[in-house]
């Protein structure tokens, strides 16, 4: 699978997909064996079977899928196999969909290159999430893959998110320093940023620093963020937002019709997004 | 392999091992197929074969092994299998050695729990490195494993390390805020901290904040750090240091005697450490 050119996906293709589907929904594939419908457990690969049905039922409503690697690593080699089967299934059947490895990696130069190879070449994801703590040379090896997207954590939506991201330097908060610095790096046009939705009021200031980049926004739904608020401050001329929902969609149902139930929840969000896109052209 | 109690390893056992071996050496198992001796490439699992020989030749000189997960993930499922075989080999043959999964993980609450399960339960490592950017609730799920050690990035030795870690808040640099805050978290006695050796002059201030915790110090050797300088400011009453060397040891030789050559390099560091320990009781 070492074929980074197999499925190039750039910003223009993502925007075209948003316009066609009238959606900027990303579905988080955070699959926990204790939460999936019990009738799947007897299958040979319950995680892949679950993902396959969710993807088949929602691919026309979502522009991106985002498996969080933690949920796969927790099951060891078997989990890694489920992740590989899932990304291969998406790439083979729905190549127009943008894929995100939510891995939050980041290490010293040559080691980050190994992570980039893992997700961009071996698994052939379009993008990977990266943590900024180690600075420029921990992120640049990801950006060196010019046909791929690097999604940098900026402001996260969890309880402790502001512990360090919110520290004030003599100029501004750390997360703003991350944004301002990151856009000076080589190939920074291939960056997106993670910005948590529970802090919609911050989007206005963030858009002053990064007016043109896409923002990946977790935290709508289960984590309490509001779609209308995020869009009010976060939308740009290209849409510029990917709104992620995981549990609210994939665990909406727990019986044999779970994929249909997930589809209905995805449809609700897509329709809300369509209305917002129409109101904002 | 879900057996977190199989091999408990606490701080006292690590200290006892340091006293016995007169060493505080950690060997980084960052195995790159393009750098290992060519005669190994034909083996069924060259990475594991390489590690096995390095471990057999150095286990009496080192108190810890630290595979960096990036190097294994880059080879997909096969790489993950090599990692599993390596940790199982250490646990079965040298259970006294402290094991570190250098994974630099960190995510929102329940997701960090999945990572903790991956490394502490599924793979049965004694410790894992964690990135602090997402704050308290991204680290606490690791600390909840009370018989395991969580090693938090504080100050890293790479070129971009100070990009964000070195930002000055109205009180102090971000990395010091990380240290000060982390030691207030529940089970913080199970923390260690990563502190890069290229910045030996910082150890004095760091020891004022965390006098008792172990520091994992990469960057000695290939990255330019000096062992004497680090020890001058970093040692505490328990030793309190784990000094990592990766490339300088494991790639010292490139022929069929590579393990013996690695042993000689490890021995040099161990002897230097023994002298330092004797001088400092």
């Amino acid at each position: 699978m070492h074929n980074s050119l197999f499925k190039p996906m750039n910003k223009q293709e993502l925007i075209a997909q948003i316009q066609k589907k009238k959606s900027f929904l990303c579905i988080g594939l955070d699959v926990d064996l204790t939460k999936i419908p019990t009738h799947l457990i007897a299958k040979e690969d319950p995680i892949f079977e679950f993902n396959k049905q969710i993807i088949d039922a929602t691919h026309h409503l979502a522009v991106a899928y985002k498996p969080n690697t933690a949920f796969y690593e927790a099951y060891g080699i078997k989990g890694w196999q489920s992740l590989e089967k899932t990304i291969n299934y998406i790439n083979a059947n729905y190549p127009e969909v943008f894929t995100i490895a939510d891995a939050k990696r980041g290490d010293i130069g040559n080691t980050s290159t190994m992570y980039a190879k893992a997700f961009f070449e071996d698994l052939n994801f379009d993008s990977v999430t990266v943590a900024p703590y180690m600075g420029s040379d921990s992120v640049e090896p990801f950006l060196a893959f010019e046909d791929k997207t690097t999604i940098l954590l900026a402001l996260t939506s969890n309880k402790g998110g502001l512990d360090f991201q919110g520290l004030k330097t003599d100029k501004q908060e750390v997360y703003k320093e991350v944004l301002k610095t990151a856009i000076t790096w080589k190939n920074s046009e291939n960056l997106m940023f993670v910005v948590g939705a529970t802090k919609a009021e911050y989007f206005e200031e963030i858009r002053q620093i990064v007016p043109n980049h896409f923002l990946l926004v977790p935290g709508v739904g289960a984590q309490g963020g509001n779609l209308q608020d995020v869009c009010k401050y976060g939308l740009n001329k290209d849409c510029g937002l990917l709104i992620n929902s995981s549990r609210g969609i994939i665990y909406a149902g727990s019986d044999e019709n779970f994929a249909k139930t997930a589809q209905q929840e995805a449809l609700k969000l897509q329709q809300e997004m369509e209305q917002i896109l129409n109101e904002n052209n």
Side-chain angles (χ1 to χ4, degrees), chain A:
Chain A
M1 286 301 302
H2 290 266
N3 187 354
S4 68
L5 297 173
F6 169 66
K7 200 198 98 174
M9 163 70 74
N10 63 30
K11 192 172 166 181
Q12 293 313 316
E13 291 168 299
L14 176 60
I15 294 168
Q17 201 195 162
I18 290 171
Q19 290 170 338
K20 184 180 155 207
K21 293 182 176 171
K22 300 191 180 304
S23 169
F24 43 103
L25 177 62
C26 172
I27 297 180
L29 299 172
D30 303 348
V31 185
D32 183 336
L33 283 179
T34 66
K35 289 185 183 161
I36 69 175
T38 49
H39 75 278
L40 294 176
I41 299 296
K43 303 267 182 185
E44 195 200 328
D45 186 340
I47 294 178
F48 174 64
E49 188 59 37
F50 178 82
N51 283 345
K52 184 175 169 302
Q53 291 194 40
I54 293 281
I55 293 162
D56 285 341
T58 59
H59 67 91
H60 57 298
L61 302 169
V63 297
Y65 289 105
K66 180 177 77 62
N68 188 306
T69 54
F71 289 82
Y72 299 84
E73 288 180 28
Y75 302 109
I77 288 160
K78 228 175 137 49
W80 203 260
Q81 285 169 331
S82 303
L83 178 63
E84 189 176 74
K85 281 158 76 177
T86 299
I87 181 68
N88 287 349
Y89 186 78
I90 298 171
N91 285 342
N93 294 281
Y94 310 108
E96 76 283 4
V97 176
F98 187 72
T99 54
I100 303 168
D102 194 0
K104 301 185 176 70
R105 296 298 196 267
D107 207 308
I108 224 160
N110 68 321
T111 311
S112 273
T113 299
M114 299 303 266
Y115 279 130
K117 284 183 179 175
F119 292 106
F120 291 155
E121 291 187 347
D122 189 67
L123 291 171
N124 201 18
F125 274 93
D126 296 317
S127 67
V128 64
T129 58
V130 172
Y133 191 72
M134 294 180 72
S136 60
D137 56 325
S138 71
V139 183
E140 285 166 344
F142 292 95
L143 288 170
F145 287 72
E146 296 188 12
D147 60 340
K148 300 289 187 177
T149 300
T150 303
I151 307 179
L152 194 66
L153 298 186
L155 183 62
T156 62
S157 56
N158 57 314
K159 178 171 69 72
L162 287 175
D163 284 354
F164 307 123
Q165 300 160 30
L167 288 174
K168 281 218 167 99
T169 70
D170 48 2
K171 290 182 212 145
Q172 59 201 333
E173 293 89 342
V174 166
Y175 74 90
K176 289 182 191 166
E177 294 278 348
V178 168
L179 291 167
K180 279 208 170 170
T181 306
I183 56 176
T184 68
W185 293 335
K186 193 181 171 193
N187 295 331
S188 64
E189 65 276 16
N190 294 337
L191 281 172
M192 293 186 183
F193 297 100
V194 173
V195 177
T198 52
K199 311 195 161 76
E201 67 270 31
Y202 297 149
F203 277 77
E204 199 166 8
E205 287 173 39
I206 287 170
R207 273 297 180 213
Q208 290 173 12
I209 307 174
V210 287
N212 298 320
H213 285 80
F214 263 81
L215 307 179
L216 172 62
V217 185
V220 166
Q223 291 174 45
N226 179 294
L227 180 61
Q228 300 287 341
D229 289 349
V230 170
C231 291
K232 184 174 170 189
Y233 299 110
L235 282 175
N236 69 11
K237 64 176 169 28
D238 299 324
C239 175
L241 293 174
L242 288 177
I243 304 285
N244 183 74
S245 175
S246 302
R247 286 166 284 173
I249 291 176
I250 68 174
Y251 298 135
S254 57
D255 59 15
E256 299 208 353
N257 294 315
F258 73 96
K260 186 79 191 162
T261 313
Q263 185 185 65
Q264 289 161 352
E265 289 303 312
L267 181 62
K268 281 185 210 164
L269 278 169
Q270 182 275 322
Q271 287 175 335
E272 202 178 341
M273 289 175 178
E274 180 167 353
Q275 194 182 339
I276 290 170
L277 287 174
N278 285 340
E279 286 165 7
N280 292 272
N281 288 316

